């Protein structure tokens, strides 16, 4: 049995959904794209054109929600299904779109460059704990116009894992889909076996911007999975109460899914988010706060009531270095997300309110994820009786090590952490240089990067990708793509 | 009596009670208190108090923002009266504020706006996704002292430079100072694009704006 956290009582869930449907009518949803308003109106919603406000009656939304697929798979570049969006399956991927990296030599936060992103991709590629890649960093030396697609370009060259990504402009969504299609064997093949999901954000409170609505419509039509990243910021861009924020999240997701399904019924879409409480002292949006994770667990439960695939932003920290706070916030939230059965949990590696990525942290977070995944396997019944037989011949001696069963089962029962986690004796620890977690992560990262094997990609397709991206780079004023 | 009134005014701001502040403003007019005195010896003291507490970490955002709202409510009443009397409240300076074109991040910019107006500036908040020309044009027509540009994306941050260039183009670069901010914006970036001021947060933005006025010789 997979252990579960269900944070909402069975009375609260319908109340949240009911209030969310009420919000769709009063005050309604601001939809800033004309095309989306028109399609909502055609479906039976009331539109106040000048204010761009749409009132979506419950029946209209419910009808659209009926066609949302309850599960789908993401495929790796070898065409194997490797991520399951649906049920209580739990996956993790690194946080995305960081601007800075924590430079492990200088311990400074500095703008990310190509080399940093490649390191992150190789690391996430090598660690089994990460089921998918993200487009983790925006590279500062790359022209901004192609900053979003350049991230995907690097991921495609250095990893075969599926990608959680997103575009920064409507035009680039389409280019990024084309980039994925090169390796999938065309757009149709990509729709059959999608290798990526695209994040799409509503703007709190209750707004679907032009860009957001356009992305929903374009992705639906293209048949490429979309992932709603609704982020009520409790107390500033959403009600201060955790439950109030969950209601807003529900309304933003339902309205987004309605726009999406109206564009093309049956297109895959995920009930996701990156909410946060607002720190009232500093005006920041702490991802590591327990209340943030509580909102996540609660909205996931609401999404599950409808049967939708789910996503959230957890396993990130607001600390500036990889210290106790970083570990505490990342592992607590990772565990809460895992127990809530969230299908894709993004955020590992991140510091400083999602602004900064640390590859060393990504490596350490893999251990928190390993433990969370172990937790999910639950208390397994390997033997019947549970214990009695194992006392045979023991005779009050601590000799269970001699049992065949011990040898057979210990690896199933125990998650075996990497050397980043110190479980040696004090003497071993001293002999190994008396290191802390971060220092060990630095060493291990070096080993990992040294043994990393680049994926065997078909050269023709690599050439096609490079041609596409270097063409766009030229247009953006960059004569040559960086060598690596 | 007037002293009591002033301290009640300050208290209404500290408590973030807009209605109370508005009521006191009206009463002060009936009592014949000079609106400027009501602001400077009454309400402003409350704002300063909350601002100081916030800087020390002893007050929180909701208190700060509510104080700002209460201040606005009082000032509204008093300014109407001043217009009648033909006097004017001297603001520190005027600032055109907005989140740059292509960027819809609202929250930080609005906080900066609240702090600047609480801090004594006249703020024209043009909202989000504001075209460069709109910012510049507004600054020109209002003869603003400062344009304050917020950007939260690495893709849109680059347009902060365009604001400076646009000011150059119409020959107003020396007359109007430009300050920049937003999560990806750094001091280095501000220097690189030739911005006059940079602040990491909303409270700091007020100090920077004041320095810019000094630099302008105001
Ligand atoms: C002029 O003088 C000054 C002086 C100081 C100034 C100043 C001006 N302006 C701000 N300051 C300073 O003072 C303020 C108070 O102290 C501070 O303001 P801040 O705004 O920094 O702080 C606020 C009080 C609280 N912080 C915030 O409000 C921003 C929080 C984060 C999580 C965030 C949010 C909330 C949103 N987002 Co967006 N968002 C993120 C943000 C992550 C982060 N760590 O910043 C960031 C900025 N977003 C990002 C992205 C990628 C995006 N977002 C998008 C959308 C959104 C929402 C609409 C969903 C929402 C905004 C809602 C709203 N009403 O504003 C999209 C872009 C939309 C667009 N065209 O603008 C989209 C592209 C996502 C997508 N694929 O759709 C990332 C940027 C990456 C990059 N390299 O540029 C990001 C860092 C998160 C991440 N890691 O993915 C200071 O910066």
């Amino acid at each position: 049995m997979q252990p579960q956290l269900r944070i909402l009582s069975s009375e609260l869930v319908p109340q949240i959904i009911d209030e969310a449907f009420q919000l769709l009518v009063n005050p309604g949803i601001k939809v800033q794209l004309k095309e989306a308003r028109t399609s909502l109106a055609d479906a039976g919603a009331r539109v106040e054109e000048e204010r761009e406000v749409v009132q979506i009656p419950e029946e209209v939304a419910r009808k659209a929600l009926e066609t949302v697929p309850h599960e789908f798979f993401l495929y790796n570049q070898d065409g194997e299904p490797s991520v399951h969006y649906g049920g209580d399956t739990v996956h993790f991927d690194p946080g995305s779109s960081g601007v800075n990296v924590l430079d492990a030599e200088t311990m400074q936060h500095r703008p990310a460059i190509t080399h940093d992103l490649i390191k992150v991709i190789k690391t996430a590629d090598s660690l089994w704990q990460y089921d998918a890649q993200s487009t983790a960093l925006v590279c500062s030396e790359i022209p901004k116009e192609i900053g979003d697609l350049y991230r995907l370009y690097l991921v495609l060259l250095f990893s075969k894992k599926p990608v959680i990504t997103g575009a920064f402009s409507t035009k680039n969504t389409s280019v990024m889909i084309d980039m994925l299609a090169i390796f999938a064997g065309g757009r149709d093949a990509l729709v059959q076996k999608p290798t990526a999901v695209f994040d799409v954000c509503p703007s709190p409170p209750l707004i679907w911007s032009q860009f957001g609505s356009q992305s929903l419509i374009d992705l639906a039509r293209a048949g490429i999975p979309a992932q709603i990243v609704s982020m009520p910021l409790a107390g500033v861009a959403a009600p201060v109460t955790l439950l109030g924020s969950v209601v807003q999240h529900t309304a933003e997701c339902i309205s987004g899914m309605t726009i999406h399904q109206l564009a093309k019924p049956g297109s895959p879409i995920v009930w996701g988010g990156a909410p946060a409480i607002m720190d009232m002292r500093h005006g920041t949006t702490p991802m590591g706060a327990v209340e943030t994770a509580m909102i996540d667990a609660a909205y996931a439960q609401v999404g599950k009531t409808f049967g939708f695939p789910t996503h959230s932003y957890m396993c990130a920290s607001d600390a500036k270095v990889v210290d106790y706070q970083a570990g505490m916030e990342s592992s607590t939230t990772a565990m809460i997300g895992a127990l809530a059965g969230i299908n894709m949990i993004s955020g590992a590696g991140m510091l400083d309110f999602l602004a900064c990525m640390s590859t060393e942290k990504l490596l350490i977070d893999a251990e928190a994820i390993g433990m969370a995944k172990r937790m999910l396997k639950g208390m397994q019944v390997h033997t019947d009786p549970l214990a009695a037989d194992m006392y045979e011949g023991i005779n009050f001696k601590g000799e269970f090590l001699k049992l065949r069963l011990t040898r057979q089962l210990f690896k199933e029962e125990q998650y075996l952490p990497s050397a980043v986690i110190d479980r040696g004796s004090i003497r071993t620890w001293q002999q190994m240089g008396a290191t802390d977690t971060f220092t060990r992560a630095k060493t291990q990262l070096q080993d990992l990067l040294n043994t990393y094997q680049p994926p065997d990609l078909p050269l023709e397709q690599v050439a096609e990708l490079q041609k596409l991206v270097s063409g766009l780079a030229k247009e953006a004023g960059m004569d040559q793509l960086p060598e690596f | 009596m007037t002293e009591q009134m002033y301290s009640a005014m300050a208290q209404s701001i500290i408590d973030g009670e807009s209605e109370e502040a508005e009521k006191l403003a009206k009463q002060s007019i009936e009592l014949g208190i000079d609106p400027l005195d009501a602001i400077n010896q009454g309400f402003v003291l409350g704002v300063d108090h909350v601002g100081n507490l916030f800087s020390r970490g002893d007050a929180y955002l909701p208190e700060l923002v509510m104080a700002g709202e209460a201040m606005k409510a009082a000032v509204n009443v008093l300014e109407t009266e001043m217009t009648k009397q033909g006097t004017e409240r001297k603001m520190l300076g005027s600032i055109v504020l907005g989140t740059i074109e292509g960027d819809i991040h609202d929250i930080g910019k609005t906080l900066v706006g609240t702090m600047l107006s609480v801090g004594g500036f006249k703020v024209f908040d043009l909202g989000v996704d504001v075209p460069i020309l709109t910012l510049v044009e507004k600054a020109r027509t209002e003869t603003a002292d400062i344009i304050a540009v917020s950007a939260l994306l690495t893709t849109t941050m680059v347009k902060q430079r365009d604001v400076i260039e646009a000011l150059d183009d119409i020959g107003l670069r020396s007359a109007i100072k430009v300050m920049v901010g937003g999560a990806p914006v750094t001091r280095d970036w501000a220097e690189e694009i030739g911005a006059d001021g940079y602040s990491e947060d909303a409270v700091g933005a007020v100090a920077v704006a004041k320095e810019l006025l000094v630099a302008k010789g105001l």
Side-chain angles (χ1 to χ4, degrees):
Chain A
M1 187 200 67
Q2 179 173 328
Q4 274 185 347
L5 168 70
R6 292 292 184 256
I7 196 168
L8 298 169
S9 71
S10 52
E11 295 83 50
L12 272 175
V13 178
Q15 189 179 348
I16 289 168
I17 295 173
D18 188 52
E19 282 198 32
F21 277 119
Q22 289 176 38
L23 286 187
L24 295 191
V25 179
N26 183 19
I29 302 289
K30 193 170 189 126
V31 180
Q32 296 178 306
L33 183 75
K34 169 96 182 147
E35 183 186 353
R37 288 197 299 276
T38 310
S39 99
L40 285 164
D42 291 346
R46 228 188 65 119
V47 176
E48 271 182 74
E49 201 48 43
E50 2 22 283
R51 286 178 62 225
E52 303 181 325
V53 172
V54 180
Q55 297 173 337
I56 311 173
E58 181 168 343
E59 322 77 81
V60 173
R62 282 214 185 258
K63 181 140 183 291
L65 295 184
E66 270 172 22
T67 53
V68 173
H70 287 195
E71 64 171 352
F72 65 90
F73 287 89
L74 291 184
Y75 294 77
N76 62 23
Q77 298 296 0
D78 291 323
E80 297 152 355
S82 55
V83 163
H84 173 232
Y85 269 102
D88 284 334
T89 317
V90 173
H91 301 284
F92 285 84
D93 74 304
S96 68
S97 303
V99 226
N100 295 324
V101 287
L102 173 65
D103 188 317
E105 295 315 315
T106 60
M107 291 311 275
Q108 300 291 319
H109 290 206
R110 61 160 173 79
I113 52 173
T114 298
H115 167 76
D116 300 310
L117 179 51
I118 293 177
K119 230 164 71 172
V120 171
I121 299 168
K122 288 179 175 175
T123 306
D125 189 69
S126 308
L127 295 168
W128 69 270
Q129 288 91 340
Y130 298 110
D131 305 284
Q133 291 280 355
S134 69
T135 34
L137 288 166
V138 182
C139 303
S140 59
E141 84 278 31
I142 300 299
K144 312 299 169 197
E145 299 89 322
I146 59 163
D148 49 1
L149 61 93
Y150 182 78
R151 303 172 303 164
L152 182 62
Y153 165 70
L154 293 186
V155 173
L156 290 174
L157 290 181
F158 287 93
S159 178
K160 286 190 165 184
K161 290 186 179 181
V163 201
I164 315 303
T165 188
F168 297 165
S169 72
T170 305
K171 180 173 149 254
N172 286 1
T173 308
S174 175
V175 179
M176 288 167 78
I177 295 175
D178 287 335
M179 290 165 63
L180 293 160
I182 291 176
F183 288 98
R187 279 209 180 206
D188 289 342
L190 181 65
V191 173
Q192 292 309 311
K193 290 188 168 185
T195 51
V197 12
F198 282 72
D199 288 346
V200 185
C201 307
S203 311
L206 306 174
I207 302 171
W208 277 99
S209 67
Q210 287 209 7
F211 172 52
S213 331
Q214 190 69 58
S215 303
L216 285 173
I217 293 175
D218 291 349
L219 289 166
R221 292 211 178 114
I224 305 300
Q227 181 159 278
I228 298 187
V229 182
S230 156
M231 45 180 89
L233 303 178
V236 175
V240 67
T241 56
L242 305 188
L243 282 169
S245 284
V246 177
V247 171
Q248 180 173 312
H249 177 279
T250 307
E252 288 178 356
C253 280
I254 291 178
S255 52
M257 284 183 159
T258 305
I259 296 172
H260 180 264
Q261 292 297 302
L262 288 175
K264 186 160 170 221
S267 261
I269 185 161
V270 181
W271 183 274
I277 55 160
M278 178 62 77
D279 181 282
M280 294 301 186
R281 202 173 289 211
H282 299 104
T284 49
T285 49
M287 301 307 296
V290 72
E291 299 85 353
T292 294
M294 289 165 75
I295 300 176
D296 288 320
Y299 81 66
Q301 191 179 340
V302 174
K304 281 170 184 295
T305 311
F306 287 102
F308 299 147
T310 50
H311 157 272
S312 76
Y313 237 98
M314 301 165 106
C315 199
S317 171
D318 309 313
K320 313 303 179 278
V321 291
V322 184
D323 57 3
Y324 181 83
Q325 182 186 340
M328 175 185 75
E329 294 179 340
S330 305
S331 56
T332 307
T333 57
M335 188 65 83
I336 292 175
L339 290 174
I342 297 172
N343 299 147
M344 182 60 72
I345 301 175
S346 309
M350 285 293 201
L351 296 166
D352 187 21
F353 316 96
L354 306 180
C356 180
M357 167 65 77
S358 156
T359 320
E360 287 74 16
K361 177 175 184 288
L362 189 65
L363 197 120
I364 303 168
D365 286 343
E367 296 308 319
I369 294 168
M371 290 184 197
K373 286 190 169 180
R374 169 63 191 93
M375 177 80 176
L376 289 184
K377 277 167 65 186
M379 300 298 281
Q380 292 179 317
V381 180
H382 291 291
T383 60
D384 182 22
L386 300 173
D389 287 354
M390 282 182 261
Y391 289 89
E392 218 162 281
I394 285 293
N395 203 15
F396 302 100
K397 289 194 235 114
E399 296 192 339
F400 289 85
L401 276 177
K402 290 182 180 167
L403 295 186
R404 174 165 294 154
L405 260 182
T406 303
R407 209 185 89 190
Q408 249 171 34
L409 287 178
F410 83 96
K411 281 190 187 164
E412 294 203 28
E413 280 299 83
Q414 302 183 0
Y415 165 65
L416 300 176
S418 79
V420 160
I421 301 298
D422 172 28
R423 288 185 182 167
S425 68
I426 176 87
R427 283 163 304 281
T428 316
W429 177 73
Q430 281 160 346
Q431 273 162 20
M432 302 295 285
T435 53
D436 63 3
T437 322
F438 189 71
T439 313
R440 290 192 295 275
K442 271 167 62 170
T443 313
Q444 193 165 315
L445 183 61
Q446 224 37 63
D447 294 349
L448 180 151
L449 294 173
N450 289 340
T451 53
Y452 161 86
Q453 292 291 331
D456 51 325
L457 299 169
L459 292 177
E460 204 178 306
Q461 290 162 16
V462 170
E464 196 183 336
L465 178 70
Q466 262 157 354
K467 195 169 144 231
L468 175 68
V469 176
S470 59
L472 292 164
K474 280 213 182 70
E475 274 175 37
M478 189 178 208
D479 285 339
Q480 211 175 357
L481 288 171
E483 297 276 342
F484 28 77
Chain B
M1 175 64 196
T2 321
E3 281 310 311
Q4 261 175 0
M5 189 77 178
Y6 287 154
S7 77
M9 286 170 167
Q11 194 58 44
S12 71
I13 302 297
I14 294 167
D15 297 340
E17 293 290 348
S18 293
E19 282 168 30
E20 179 68 12
E22 198 178 321
K23 204 178 87 194
L24 288 167
K26 285 180 181 151
Q27 273 177 19
S28 75
I29 295 170
E30 283 159 22
L31 290 172
I33 297 176
D34 182 341
L36 271 177
D37 289 344
I39 294 178
N40 294 331
Q41 300 185 42
F43 294 114
V44 163
L45 301 187
V47 168
D48 287 347
H49 182 73
V50 180
N52 287 336
L53 287 181
F54 185 79
S55 305
R56 292 208 310 258
D58 290 332
Y60 297 88
L61 273 181
E63 286 143 4
L64 191 67
V65 171
M66 295 292 281
E69 290 302 305
M71 183 70 189
K72 265 192 221 159
V75 167
N76 252 341
V77 173
L78 295 169
E79 275 185 342
T80 319
E81 179 63 18
M82 280 187 271
T83 319
K84 269 193 224 154
Q85 298 181 3
T87 56
E88 205 182 340
R89 177 179 175 213
K90 183 147 170 28
M91 303 300 285
L92 287 177
S94 65
I95 302 182
V96 170
L97 169 73
T99 301
I100 197 75
E101 193 174 307
D103 198 323
I104 56 170
H105 292 86
D106 186 24
I107 299 161
K109 181 269 303 162
T110 306
L111 267 181
V112 170
T114 305
M115 290 314 296
L116 287 172
S117 55
V118 167
F121 288 90
K122 179 149 195 66
V123 178
F124 302 94
D125 185 342
L126 304 188
V128 296
D129 192 8
V130 187
I132 290 147
L133 285 182
T134 311
L135 283 169
V136 172
E137 204 32 46
K138 182 76 179 171
R140 195 180 60 81
T141 49
E142 299 290 347
T143 54
D145 301 298
I146 299 172
I147 298 183
V149 198
S150 181
L152 265 278
L153 297 169
T154 43
T155 40
T156 55
M157 175 178 122
V158 287
K159 296 186 195 154
Q160 291 178 329
R161 189 200 298 267
D162 300 348
V163 174
I164 296 171
E165 286 173 1
L167 280 177
D168 240 339
D169 288 348
I170 58 169
L172 284 179
R173 183 64 190 97
S174 54
I176 300 172
K177 300 280 173 195
V178 176
M179 61 187 280
V180 293
V185 179
T186 59
R187 190 170 299 283
D188 287 347
W189 169 252
E191 274 169 25
E192 186 186 325
I193 63 171
D196 305 296
Y198 158 78
S199 161
E200 203 213 16
D201 55 31
V203 177
V206 182
V208 172
K210 286 183 181 165
E211 283 165 24
L212 291 184
L213 291 188
V214 175
K216 277 189 79 178
L218 290 174

